[in-house]
Amino acid sequence: MSFSDSETSSHGGGGGDYKFFRQISRDRLLHEMLGSTKTGDSKAWKILIMDRVTVKVMSQSCKMADITDQGISLVEELFKRREPMPGMDAIYFIQPSKENIVMFLSDMSGREPLYRKAFIFFSSTIPKELVNHIKSDSSVLPRIGALREMNMEYFPIDNQGFLTDHEQALETLYADDAENSRHFNICLNMMATRIATVFASLKELPFVRYRAAKSTASRDLVPSKLAAAIWDCISKYKAIPNFPQTETCELLIVDRSVDQIAPIIHEWTYDAMCHDLLDMEGNKHVIEVPSKTGGPPEKKEIVLEDHDPVWLELRHTHIADASERLHEKMTNFASKNKAAQMRSRDGSELSTRDLQKIVQALPQYGEQVDKLSTHVELAGKINRIIRDTGLRDLGQLEQDLVFGDAGAKDVINFLRTNQDTNPENKLRLLMIYATVYPEKFEGDKGVKLMQLARLSPVDMKVISNMQLIAGSPENKAKSGSFSLKFDAGKTKQANRKDRSGEEETWQLFRFYPMIEELLEKLVKGDLSKSDYLCMNQSSHKEESEARTGSVRKSSAPTAVPERKATPHSMRSRRTATWARPQSSDDGYSRHSILHHDFLFFGPF
């Protein structure tokens, strides 16, 4: 899930002060939860106890130093053996499950509790029967310092997105006969609970929109069922103090059927290339860097995170643009030193690698130099992979297929002349081909293509499963999410149409995900109300008022400063408006972002 760089809501956001999503999450954990337990003896240390889920919630937003600053001396896991510390207070941040409550009561009941006092914070709404279970133990009640629902059970991945941590959702919700499995409802309800807690943190009440079902097949009903479960959770939040009573934003729920190409096609932004081509573990990658002592290369772990200003600036730019900007930054750094007057042996300009060596010799820049050098290494590694694997030609064919500039002959010719192409890349190409030309995989046609590509029957199963998610051709045509578009000058089928009036600044930067088009229509009020229904229908009639809205009047949008650079579309592939860093080189500031708040969720 992702969302706009929305400002903190006027309902609970502190007078319109700008805060990123992850910062809001961090502040709630550190101040609203941990900070609230401080008593007269503010210097007293406490123990923080969490379960496996809440440990992830905490670690995604806070560092250990942040937690220590709030008076926490020890962090422990609920179900691991713990030493009694009857002279200290404990803070429990746990899920409201029966097993967790039983464990908590065993800690704090009886004559000799593990801790002096317990402050309990639940990650989501606790059922009444569990509250009554706690109340039933008279020895525990006097030892409870606080019992609250934090309603915070999501996992921020950066300043603009989060996960619900359901990697098997596709299999659980879309498998044959999935609806009759007990795991179906467990997965769906847990996802709904975690998504709802995002709105509790943001203090936002959304219009809950979802892709309408086009058939009665269980897999086609998943978005509507998820929407109903989310709304059931969110509607209960109106009892929370300072929670809005009228809708303040939009939540759009879709599934993978609206766009099967986006996760398959090679995206050419710096961020996408890092995760696609490099051996990443989450946001971490290990590279070899030149030794500062002249010895063999050294291994270095890189963490791509929001604290890195270079990463924030470049992550959503085209890889070629990112490489150019890195070279410019290195040049600027090097120009501050006499060593910049150096020329290469043949008199030509210094390469980025040469500039990197010069800049590393400038001790006064320290951390800035280190981060720049890191990104130079990463971008260089990506560019080498692109060159060595012939990815540019494959990427061109992928985008030509999507926009109707290539067809069967082009795919067959590529497979015949590029037999050494990575099997995964060939499978991705055929998956795109199957999405644009589903009829080319009818009967034994698909088998012949797989044989030509030298792929296995297991790979063929992947394409079959894609078609199951997409649904029948009739349903695709009705929904408009899988329509085959034709341009007057094209004879081939297309899955996207070029944006009118847009110039492609960088090669292979033509593709855009369908969710982008849906969100643009949503913001403009042009989203089909028959294809995307609204769960809170009773408030739907007042939607236009909420858009212009009393809840946003106190925070009028700041005008976007006029750019001195050459004009370009608001949807320039160079850097999307929502992706701009807090302070960008192009003159945009963090306050010039579109103020219409929206969130979208597509779990599959």
Side-chain angles (χ1 to χ4, degrees):
M1 175 170 177
S2 187
F3 45 91
S4 71
D5 268 344
S6 62
E7 289 190 74
T8 306
S9 169
S10 58
H11 295 284
D17 291 340
Y18 185 92
K19 286 186 180 180
F20 279 119
F21 174 63
R22 178 173 268 172
Q23 182 64 42
I24 293 171
S25 304
R26 178 179 178 274
D27 287 351
R28 289 201 67 212
L29 290 168
L30 296 180
H31 306 301
E32 187 179 329
M33 186 176 77
L34 300 182
S36 68
T37 65
K38 294 180 179 179
T39 56
D41 186 8
S42 59
K43 295 182 180 179
W45 291 97
K46 293 184 177 67
I47 300 165
L48 175 61
I49 301 164
M50 297 179 282
D51 58 37
R52 292 178 181 176
V53 170
T54 53
V55 162
K56 286 185 180 179
V57 173
M58 180 69 74
S59 63
Q60 290 292 96
S61 297
C62 305
K63 296 182 181 295
M64 192 60 210
D66 300 327
I67 299 172
T68 304
D69 288 344
Q70 292 299 317
I72 302 300
S73 62
L74 182 64
V75 176
E76 298 211 86
E77 190 174 320
L78 180 65
F79 284 94
K80 287 188 177 179
R81 185 177 180 83
R82 289 167 277 125
E83 292 293 326
M85 295 187 179
M88 296 183 69
D89 294 343
I91 300 172
Y92 286 79
F93 179 36
I94 56 177
Q95 290 181 289
S97 65
K98 183 176 180 179
E99 52 269 30
N100 283 358
I101 298 301
V102 169
M103 181 59 71
F104 161 72
L105 291 175
S106 70
D107 286 351
M108 298 301 299
S109 63
R111 294 182 178 180
E112 297 181 357
L114 290 186
Y115 313 108
R116 181 176 56 193
K117 184 176 288 188
F119 299 85
I120 317 159
F121 298 89
F122 294 108
S123 58
S124 57
T125 305
I126 180 172
K128 288 184 178 179
E129 58 268 23
L130 292 182
V131 174
N132 291 332
H133 188 32
I134 295 173
K135 288 181 178 179
S136 65
D137 194 325
S138 58
S139 67
V140 171
L141 289 178
R143 298 164 183 163
I144 295 178
L147 194 151
R148 286 182 53 191
E149 294 170 341
M150 281 298 293
N151 289 315
M152 189 170 175
E153 200 174 298
Y154 52 85
F155 311 96
I157 53 175
D158 57 26
N159 281 330
Q160 297 177 319
F162 73 92
L163 299 174
T164 61
D165 199 29
H166 288 93
E167 294 181 356
Q168 301 302 316
L170 180 63
E171 180 180 349
T172 303
L173 301 179
Y174 281 82
D176 291 337
D177 204 30
E179 193 174 17
N180 295 323
S181 168
R182 67 183 184 89
H183 297 294
F184 181 93
N185 286 329
I186 292 173
C187 179
L188 198 74
N189 290 331
M190 191 173 293
M191 289 171 65
T193 296
R194 292 180 179 178
I195 294 167
T197 64
V198 172
F199 294 93
S201 283
L202 295 176
K203 291 246 183 334
E204 299 277 7
L205 179 64
F207 286 105
V208 181
R209 300 183 185 278
Y210 60 96
R211 183 188 64 78
K214 301 301 178 181
S215 74
T216 56
S218 62
R219 58 173 56 96
D220 207 24
L221 296 171
V222 170
S224 60
K225 290 184 175 183
L226 181 60
I230 291 173
W231 178 245
D232 182 58
C233 294
I234 293 177
S235 59
K236 297 173 183 176
Y237 291 161
K238 289 187 177 182
I240 297 176
N242 300 319
F243 194 82
Q245 301 300 301
T246 57
E247 286 76 4
T248 59
C249 65
E250 310 263 8
L251 169 64
L252 178 62
I253 301 171
V254 298
D255 62 12
R256 182 44 60 200
S257 67
V258 304
D259 187 357
Q260 297 199 64
I261 291 178
I264 300 167
I265 196 169
H266 284 92
E267 280 271 18
W268 291 80
T269 62
Y270 182 34
D271 189 335
M273 289 276 99
C274 283
H275 288 88
D276 200 348
L277 302 184
L278 304 179
D279 186 17
M280 299 278 294
E281 288 189 12
N283 63 341
K284 297 178 181 178
H285 179 62
V286 176
I287 62 171
E288 288 189 348
V289 297
S291 172
K292 295 179 180 179
T293 60
E298 301 172 351
K299 288 189 176 181
K300 178 182 179 181
E301 183 179 81
I302 297 173
V303 181
L304 302 175
E305 57 185 354
D306 301 328
H307 301 296
D308 181 352
V310 180
W311 173 246
L312 282 180
E313 178 187 343
L314 301 180
R315 62 182 299 190
H316 296 297
T317 62
H318 190 284
I319 181 61
D321 187 16
S323 299
E324 283 191 8
R325 292 197 196 184
L326 286 169
H327 183 84
E328 290 172 3
K329 289 178 183 294
M330 281 294 185
T331 302
N332 290 337
F333 268 118
S335 66
K336 302 176 188 292
N337 189 276
K338 293 181 179 180
Q341 307 304 318
M342 294 170 53
R343 307 287 291 183
S344 61
R345 293 182 179 179
D346 60 3
S348 61
E349 288 188 7
L350 292 168
S351 67
T352 304
R353 178 57 64 87
D354 293 330
L355 288 168
Q356 180 186 3
K357 292 178 180 177
I358 294 171
V359 170
Q360 285 175 334
L362 307 178
Q364 64 267 41
Y365 293 108
E367 186 178 351
Q368 296 179 55
V369 172
D370 186 55
K371 289 190 180 298
L372 261 183
S373 297
T374 292
H375 288 286
V376 167
E377 290 290 340
L378 275 183
K381 188 173 182 179
I382 290 170
N383 284 316
R384 287 193 297 274
I385 293 173
I386 292 172
R387 182 182 63 250
D388 295 344
T389 59
L391 194 57
R392 191 178 301 278
D393 292 336
L394 175 62
Q396 188 66 60
L397 178 56
E398 289 176 346
Q399 301 215 6
D400 286 347
L401 273 173
V402 172
F403 287 95
D405 295 324
K409 290 182 179 179
D410 303 282
V411 173
I412 292 171
N413 182 59
F414 180 88
L415 293 175
R416 282 176 176 167
T417 57
N418 295 273
Q419 291 287 347
D420 294 334
T421 298
N422 184 299
E424 180 186 313
N425 285 340
K426 287 191 284 188
L427 176 59
R428 289 166 70 168
L429 175 63
L430 287 182
M431 291 170 78
I432 294 171
Y433 184 45
T435 304
V436 182
Y437 291 88
E439 71 278 5
K440 298 295 184 181
F441 285 77
E442 294 174 356
D444 64 347
K445 295 177 184 177
V447 176
K448 291 180 179 178
L449 279 169
M450 300 299 280
Q451 290 173 346
L452 177 61
R454 298 180 182 177
L455 297 175
S456 69
V458 175
D459 294 325
M460 188 64 191
K461 188 70 174 177
V462 172
I463 294 178
S464 300
N465 288 338
M466 278 183 61
Q467 294 170 329
L468 286 174
I469 295 173
S472 66
E474 292 80 9
N475 288 337
K476 296 171 197 172
K478 288 178 185 177
S479 69
S481 63
F482 191 86
S483 58
L484 299 178
K485 304 184 179 78
F486 297 86
D487 287 348
K490 296 179 180 178
T491 59
K492 301 180 177 70
Q493 293 175 188
N495 186 268
R496 300 284 194 283
K497 59 182 178 181
D498 281 307
R499 300 281 187 156
S500 59
E502 255 188 46
E503 292 186 9
E504 190 180 336
T505 310
W506 298 98
Q507 188 181 12
L508 302 174
F509 222 16
R510 188 178 173 192
F511 177 81
Y512 59 92
M514 289 306 298
I515 192 67
E516 184 173 339
E517 188 171 283
L518 291 175
L519 290 178
E520 286 179 351
K521 290 180 178 179
L522 178 60
V523 172
K524 295 175 183 176
D526 296 335
L527 190 67
S528 170
K529 290 179 174 59
S530 59
D531 290 336
Y532 293 90
L533 306 179
C534 185
M535 182 57 62
N536 34 331
Q537 197 65 42
S538 59
S539 302
H540 186 53
K541 296 178 182 178
E542 303 172 5
E543 177 180 356
S544 59
E545 295 178 12
R547 281 184 183 279
T548 57
S550 57
V551 296
R552 298 289 177 194
K553 284 180 181 177
S554 63
S555 179
T558 306
V560 177
E562 185 177 349
R563 297 188 63 180
K564 297 181 181 179
T566 55
H568 70 284
S569 165
M570 286 178 65
R571 283 194 61 268
S572 170
R573 304 262 77 73
R574 195 173 182 88
T575 303
T577 305
W578 60 266
R580 297 187 188 280
Q582 296 182 45
S583 181
S584 174
D585 290 341
D586 59 11
Y588 279 77
S589 72
R590 65 187 185 184
H591 297 291
S592 65
I593 297 166
L594 182 67
H595 279 234
H596 184 88
D597 296 342
F598 57 85
L599 298 93
F600 69 87
F601 184 76
F604 323 116

